[in-house]
Amino acid sequence: MMKQYLRSRVSTCSSFIEIYISVLILAGIVISSISLVRDLVILSGSIFNETVEFRYEDFLGYALQLIIGIEFVKMLAKHTPGSAIEVLLFAIARKLIVDHSTSFDLLLGIIAIAILFGIKKFLYTSSFTHEEGYVISGATPVRQVNLIASVNIPDELGNTIAGVMANELKKLGKKLSERASVALDGVTLRIYSMRDGSIDKVQVIPTNNKKSTNVQE
């Protein structure tokens, strides 16, 4: 239990630091976006004044950089494979659209995008569909799990999703074991995998029907 508690504390501290860094990045993006207005004015002036030179590709490239930054912040907030894939998609799209890519580079970019869509569809299905649930690291804070899976797990049940599972199983006198599940209001939690006797990953399955707490093994 002490080991699980320390992991929970470290995870909570790292989450707060991560949120702090995300806020700094987001503030930087907001400040940087102000220059887009200036560039837009210069771009408008270049239409009526031939002496003013401004490349639209530069404006578009800078805008896409800011969008990639926003997607990166969303990835830090959500902690899902889908958000990571979206960052890569925007990065590849910027490379293909803005940079003067050769035909071979375009082909590689298209192949890379196709691979990312294939990964999203076939390898991380459980992270995208509510029917099959979300496989989430046990160290993920409850608030992030609620955001990812669109559920409402009370914070008082535990700091992390693994802590919630451990606490609920302990209340019922059950041991930690793979496939053990706990049904809460609007969500079913199942131990997806364990490592060194501790919960490694938890499957979060949103449900339509509210049930009383129970355990299945």
Side-chain angles (χ1 to χ4, degrees):
M1 293 300 296
M2 178 60 67
K3 185 177 179 181
Q4 188 70 29
Y5 174 78
L6 291 176
R7 284 185 176 180
S8 173
R9 294 293 91 189
V10 171
S11 175
T12 301
C13 292
S14 62
S15 296
F16 279 114
I17 295 174
E18 191 174 68
I19 293 173
Y20 169 72
I21 295 176
S22 299
V23 171
L24 292 180
I25 295 175
L26 193 58
I29 293 173
V30 172
I31 296 173
S32 300
S33 64
I34 298 176
S35 63
L36 280 179
V37 179
R38 180 200 61 192
D39 294 339
L40 184 61
V41 173
I42 297 175
L43 181 62
S44 300
S46 65
I47 298 176
F48 303 100
N49 189 349
E50 296 181 356
T51 61
V52 178
E53 293 184 2
F54 187 82
R55 297 178 56 191
Y56 176 73
E57 291 83 358
D58 296 335
F59 175 80
L60 181 60
Y62 189 65
L64 287 175
Q65 280 185 334
L66 295 180
I67 292 175
I68 292 173
I70 295 173
E71 291 298 326
F72 182 76
V73 173
K74 289 168 61 178
M75 180 188 71
L76 293 178
K78 292 182 177 180
H79 280 196
T80 60
S83 58
I85 290 176
E86 288 175 359
V87 173
L88 295 176
L89 285 173
F90 277 104
I92 295 174
R94 182 191 180 279
K95 176 70 176 179
L96 296 179
I97 296 173
V98 178
D99 295 344
H100 297 286
S101 304
T102 64
S103 298
F104 182 71
D105 291 334
L106 287 173
L107 178 61
L108 289 180
I110 293 172
I111 294 175
I113 291 176
I115 292 175
L116 289 176
F117 275 112
I119 292 174
K120 181 176 180 180
K121 180 175 179 60
F122 297 107
L123 297 184
Y124 289 106
T125 304
S126 60
S127 295
F128 294 97
T129 60
H130 285 245
E131 289 77 15
E132 297 193 22
Y134 301 75
V135 177
I136 300 175
S137 171
T140 305
V142 172
R143 291 184 180 181
Q144 290 190 12
V145 173
N146 289 337
L147 178 63
I148 293 171
S150 298
V151 295
N152 188 26
I153 301 173
D155 293 338
E156 58 268 20
L157 296 182
N159 295 318
T160 65
I161 193 64
V164 172
M165 286 293 304
N167 292 336
E168 292 302 309
L169 290 172
K170 183 179 179 180
K171 288 179 182 178
L172 297 170
K174 301 293 183 177
K175 295 182 179 180
L176 298 179
S177 61
E178 290 188 4
R179 311 310 297 173
S181 64
V182 176
L184 304 174
D185 286 346
V187 60
T188 297
L189 306 178
R190 180 178 295 117
I191 298 180
Y192 188 81
S193 63
M194 298 187 63
R195 180 183 298 177
D196 299 329
S198 300
I199 299 174
D200 180 36
K201 295 181 180 179
V202 176
Q203 186 174 11
V204 181
I205 307 173
T207 57
N208 294 326
N209 299 323
K210 295 187 176 182
K211 304 176 182 179
S212 58
T213 304
N214 62 79
V215 177
Q216 299 175 351
E217 293 183 306

